[in-house]
């Protein structure tokens, strides 16, 4: 599939797809005229890259991890440093999730207080 098709199927911009390729996170083959062509597996890869970016992972970290994540079963054979990075990212996401939960609870309390506040009569 061409880059525009991949962009449409994944919600990523063409510019983002080019960036992913420049950073070694995505690969394509080129036609004789220089157009990028991607296999079906690129859809899942781009969705994973976008998911990782959405939780705050950096491009450098994503690029380092992706070669070890081709097949879910391969996680068992990750080098120790990759396993440490995966664990650190998971722990960071857990902490971020906990902070979001606390923030939501604060907002819920503020909303409840605002809704229960007596209203002054209108004349």
């Amino acid at each position: 599939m061409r880059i525009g098709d991949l962009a449409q199927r994944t919600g990523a911009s063409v510019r983002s797809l080019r960036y992913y390729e420049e950073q070694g996170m995505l690969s394509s083959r080129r036609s004789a005229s220089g157009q990028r062509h991607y296999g079906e597996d690129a859809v899942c890869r781009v969705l994973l890259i976008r998911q990782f970016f959405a939780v705050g992972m950096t491009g450098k970290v994503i690029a380092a991890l992706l070669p070890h994540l081709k097949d879910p079963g391969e996680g068992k054979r990750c080098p120790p440093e990759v396993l440490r990075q995966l664990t650190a990212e998971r722990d960071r996401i857990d902490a971020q999730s906990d902070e979001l939960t606390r923030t939501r609870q604060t907002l819920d309390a503020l909303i409840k207080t605002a809704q229960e506040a007596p209203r002054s009569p209108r004349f």
Side-chain angles (χ1 to χ4, degrees):
M1 86 188 79
R2 291 171 51 185
I3 194 166
D5 300 324
L6 182 59
Q8 187 174 28
R9 289 183 60 187
T10 61
S13 68
V14 169
R15 183 176 180 195
S16 292
L17 295 174
R18 287 185 183 124
Y19 172 77
Y20 300 162
E21 195 166 338
E22 288 169 11
Q23 300 303 308
M25 295 183 259
L26 184 64
S27 62
S28 66
R29 56 184 173 73
R30 298 290 183 122
S31 69
S33 63
Q35 292 181 330
R36 290 173 169 91
H37 290 274
Y38 300 92
E40 271 305 307
D41 61 329
V43 173
C44 290
R45 189 165 188 92
V46 170
L47 293 174
L48 181 62
I49 292 167
R50 289 175 51 90
Q51 186 178 19
F52 283 164
F53 272 123
V55 296
M57 292 174 74
T58 66
K60 183 177 179 181
V61 169
I62 296 168
L65 295 177
L66 283 174
H68 304 284
L69 305 177
K70 290 180 181 173
D71 176 4
E74 288 187 33
K76 297 174 191 165
R77 294 185 296 252
C78 282
E81 65 274 7
V82 173
L83 186 56
R84 278 192 297 277
Q85 185 67 51
L86 288 169
T87 302
E89 288 299 329
R90 186 216 39 221
D91 293 347
R92 183 188 60 75
I93 291 167
D94 284 346
Q96 186 178 22
S97 177
D98 292 344
E99 183 63 29
L100 287 169
T101 298
R102 284 190 296 277
T103 301
R104 172 153 184 153
Q105 290 167 346
T106 300
L107 290 171
D108 286 344
L110 290 169
I111 290 167
K112 183 177 180 184
T113 300
Q115 289 173 337
E116 294 173 352
R119 299 190 178 187
S120 57
R122 290 189 155 171
F123 295 99

